[in-house]
Amino acid sequence: KLVSEDSLFFIPSHIKVLYVPHTPLFIHGSLYENLIYGVSKKGRDDSMDRVLNICERLMLAPVVLNEIMKRNVIERDWSSKLSSTQCQALLLARAFIANPELMCLEKPTEQFPKDQAENI
């Protein structure tokens, strides 16, 4: 625990760190491309089964899972097509798919109902 809000801490450069913002950020492309965006190509595990497994564990609705499987559906603004809860779940899924050693999460479950937030 940090001593004060003004405290700084050091993270060695060899540690893979991922920041997950509160505001959803999507690239132009399919949901699948958005979920694997930024995943290192070396040792990459971006199989559809793994992606769907992570998304199911975050309790994404079947309609969203179906959109993920449609690799050819390209959208400019997924955040306007999905609920805020779905967007936040997809941001968390992207983080888990990237498999960093350290995640910095900004209000990761704020958009979820209380019971779902506790499960996550």
Side-chain angles (χ1 to χ4, degrees), residues 13-52:
S13 61
H14 68 278
I15 293 181
K16 183 175 166 187
V17 178
L18 183 67
Y19 171 71
V20 180
H22 176 66
T23 307
L25 302 169
F26 293 101
I27 61 168
H28 177 76
S30 69
L31 273 183
Y32 177 76
E33 290 170 328
N34 272 276
L35 287 168
I36 65 166
Y37 181 78
V39 175
S40 171
K41 292 191 189 317
K42 184 173 74 171
R44 182 175 180 161
D45 185 5
D46 59 359
S47 69
M48 182 62 77
D49 288 340
R50 181 169 181 267
V51 169
L52 290 174

Side-chain angles (χ1 to χ4, degrees), residues 27-86:
I27 61 168
H28 177 76
S30 69
L31 273 183
Y32 177 76
E33 290 170 328
N34 272 276
L35 287 168
I36 65 166
Y37 181 78
V39 175
S40 171
K41 292 191 189 317
K42 184 173 74 171
R44 182 175 180 161
D45 185 5
D46 59 359
S47 69
M48 182 62 77
D49 288 340
R50 181 169 181 267
V51 169
L52 290 174
N53 184 11
I54 289 170
C55 291
E56 286 170 356
R57 296 187 84 185
L58 290 169
M59 295 173 260
L60 276 160
V63 68
V64 178
L65 298 174
N66 288 334
E67 286 298 320
I68 293 167
M69 288 187 282
K70 298 177 188 174
R71 293 186 188 198
N72 60 344
V73 174
I74 296 178
E75 273 294 331
R76 285 196 178 278
D77 190 14
W78 283 107
S79 57
S80 67
K81 304 230 180 286
L82 303 167
S83 72
S84 57
T85 303
Q86 291 169 333

